[in-house]
Amino acid sequence: MVPTAVPRPPAHLRVVDPAKARAGAARRRRTGSPESPLALKRRARRINAVLAEAYPYAVAELDFRSPYELLVATVLSAQTTDVRVNATTPRLFAACPTPRALAEADEAEIQEIIRPLGFYRAKTRAIRTLAQKIVDDHDGEVPGRLEDLVTLPGVGRKTANVVLGNAFGIPGITVDTHFGRLARRFGWTAEEDPVKVERDVAALFAPRDWTDLSQRLVYHGRRICHSRRPACGVCPVADLCPSYGEGPTDTAQAAALLKYEFAPGREELLELFLAGRSRAQLQADGWPLSS
């Protein structure tokens, strides 16, 4: 009988002594006064530094070649997965390479292309209305300012910051469900409102860190710090997190929960990422970049 392999965390992840993690979490829970602003900022920046080592390849997981493609892909990603969006948008952008082409495209044709994403009728109306607004108000070019982006149909601060940070290189904090959950678990904020979460987290970091921080928290939330069962036992920031223990702390149990390139059996994919291979290169080689 062949013994079952025990799941193990990726070798490059920082290893945290469980006793140290438990002590740190307990200490932060039982203190009668809140963490000082300086201590909170230092701990937050330490978490960001550790996550940078865990995810040196963290980038936007929606594939795009221009601000227009990222904007449309982000709007389409509502209530579906980035993986499914990435499988659908190449055909869409081949048919509609510019906002004007999308605005003038046949509605039924667009519906058929994006049908796999769900809510395809509403999403078709949304992206065609968005494209028409870009044509009418911005000469067919996606604007590069927050105040202009949020005037576009279906574009809020989250989507605007995704586009600014990743397509224009303008720092922005993207508060999606993963980011908000982790910011609260880390004790960076107690707020639920995304705008207030963004405000609280922005105060802890220099603007130059905002976009990369957003990517790292999304990666961490999808791979380790899950909503229902975070993999606390293999978390590289376990000793810095007041929420340690919300998920399994046993190493093997926690490792079995890892997702995407961290998942057991995907060691080769992880090695390629760590070696500097881009998402586009890996996709061209036939790797399915999903969990």
Side-chain angles (χ1 to χ4, degrees):
M1 182 175 181
V2 178
T4 303
V6 177
R8 298 189 60 82
H12 80 290
L13 286 185
R14 175 174 178 258
V15 177
V16 177
D17 177 61
K20 185 177 180 181
R22 286 194 299 270
R27 182 174 64 254
R28 293 185 180 97
R29 289 181 188 133
R30 68 171 176 262
T31 52
S33 57
E35 199 171 12
S36 73
L38 179 58
L40 174 59
K41 183 173 289 188
R42 285 176 173 169
R43 183 171 62 83
R45 293 185 177 189
R46 176 60 177 150
I47 289 174
N48 183 40
V50 174
L51 294 182
E53 295 175 356
Y55 310 105
Y57 48 85
V59 296
E61 293 187 276
L62 288 170
D63 297 333
F64 69 97
R65 296 168 299 179
S66 67
Y68 157 67
E69 290 190 359
L70 180 57
L71 180 60
V72 171
T74 304
V75 171
L76 291 176
S77 69
Q79 296 176 293
T80 189
T81 65
D82 289 353
V83 173
R84 187 164 293 176
V85 174
N86 288 338
T88 302
T89 50
R91 184 181 170 198
L92 174 66
F93 295 138
C96 304
T98 66
R100 185 176 300 278
L102 179 55
E104 296 175 353
D106 179 72
E107 186 168 344
E109 179 185 355
I110 302 304
Q111 287 182 4
E112 186 59 31
I113 292 174
I114 69 170
R115 182 186 292 267
L117 302 181
F119 305 99
Y120 60 94
R121 292 188 181 90
K123 288 184 177 182
T124 296
R125 289 193 298 270
I127 60 175
R128 292 181 76 243
T129 302
L130 170 66
Q132 189 63 60
K133 183 77 169 176
I134 293 171
V135 170
D136 292 344
D137 294 357
H138 301 284
D139 297 322
E141 297 291 332
V142 174
R145 301 193 310 163
L146 179 68
E147 53 266 40
D148 293 329
L149 283 167
V150 296
T151 66
L152 299 175
V155 178
R157 287 186 67 90
K158 182 188 81 171
T159 298
N161 278 327
V162 168
V163 174
L164 290 173
N166 294 285
F168 289 103
I170 298 172
I173 291 177
T174 304
V175 183
D176 69 354
T177 56
H178 299 289
F179 189 102
R181 179 178 74 252
L182 269 63
R184 287 184 288 274
R185 279 183 176 165
F186 291 158
W188 296 353
T189 183
E191 300 291 350
E192 296 283 345
D193 179 78
V195 175
K196 294 179 180 178
V197 172
E198 180 184 340
R199 175 204 63 199
D200 289 351
V201 175
L204 301 175
F205 298 92
R208 65 176 180 272
D209 295 327
W210 290 351
T211 299
D212 288 339
L213 173 73
S214 298
Q215 309 289 18
R216 291 165 190 156
L217 259 66
V218 170
Y219 268 57
H220 193 57
R222 287 176 171 168
R223 288 151 179 79
I224 294 180
C225 195
H226 311 136
S227 176
R228 294 183 180 177
R229 294 191 75 204
C232 294
V234 293
C235 178
V237 296
D239 57 332
L240 300 167
C241 179
S243 301
Y244 175 79
E246 287 192 11
T249 58
D250 175 78
T251 300
Q253 290 181 9
L257 299 175
L258 294 173
K259 299 290 187 181
Y260 292 84
E261 71 280 358
F262 280 6
R266 308 206 84 192
E267 290 80 8
E268 183 181 354
L269 175 59
L270 176 59
E271 288 178 5
L272 291 170
F273 268 124
L274 292 173
R277 299 295 295 277
S278 70
R279 289 178 55 83
Q281 290 171 328
L282 292 170
Q283 286 172 325
D285 290 341
W287 282 97
L289 302 183
S290 68
S291 61

